[in-house]
Amino acid sequence: MASDKTQGWSGDSFDRYKEYRYVVAVNAIAFAYAAFQAVDMTYRLNYGKHIISYSLRPIFDFLIDQMLAYLLISASSSAATRVDDWVSNWGKDDFTEMATASIGMSFLVFLAFALSSLISGYNLCNQKSL
């Protein structure tokens, strides 16, 4: 999405539209969180403990997974609406095709976070008392 700039008659780029900036920002935050979780899980598999251990971890994981899932579906939906408006008014071009592909990937990320949210909810409900 961030590389979506055209040189055609419109000269459009993603940063001219707040919906597209919203998608990029939410996806960047989701990527950073998922990368940290991957590093933390790798560390846990190797050393048997988390990088940062605390008693509220299951609640934190569940809440962050939920928030990011909702933010991702919100951002993807708002950007999809912008693309639909663009196509209905001016037709398809390279800009809208790249934006559509980016939005599709964002919806896939939402599905991954929705699944992660279900798993972290299960872990929260089935945690052993301390």
Side-chain angles (χ1 to χ4, degrees):
M1 179 69 77
S3 67
D4 196 1
K5 298 176 194 278
T6 62
Q7 301 300 321
W9 62 271
S10 62
D12 267 326
S13 68
F14 87 97
D15 55 359
R16 290 183 57 193
Y17 301 97
K18 60 185 166 195
E19 296 90 346
Y20 299 154
R21 290 192 309 262
Y22 182 38
V23 167
V24 171
V26 170
N27 278 290
I29 293 167
F31 175 78
Y33 174 72
F36 177 75
Q37 288 286 55
V39 168
D40 184 53
M41 284 294 128
T42 303
Y43 186 86
R44 182 172 183 249
L45 289 173
N46 288 333
Y47 300 106
K49 61 180 182 174
H50 291 284
I51 294 173
I52 302 171
S53 294
Y54 49 93
S55 61
L56 298 177
R57 182 178 192 88
I59 294 171
F60 177 79
D61 287 345
F62 177 70
L63 290 176
I64 295 296
D65 287 347
Q66 283 281 309
M67 286 190 302
L68 286 175
Y70 284 118
L71 284 171
L72 282 162
I73 196 68
S74 169
S76 301
S77 299
S78 69
T81 303
R82 171 56 77 180
V83 168
D84 183 55
D85 181 49
W86 181 277
V87 170
S88 66
N89 288 328
W90 294 286
K92 282 192 168 209
D93 61 0
D94 289 340
F95 181 76
T96 57
E97 289 177 7
M98 288 179 70
T100 301
S102 299
I103 293 164
M105 293 299 290
S106 186
F107 275 116
L108 290 176
V109 172
F110 160 73
L111 291 175
F113 269 93
L115 179 63
S116 178
S117 182
L118 289 173
I119 292 168
S120 62
Y122 176 81
N123 290 337
L124 176 63
C125 292
N126 291 318
Q127 71 180 346
K128 297 176 184 171
S129 55
L130 301 173

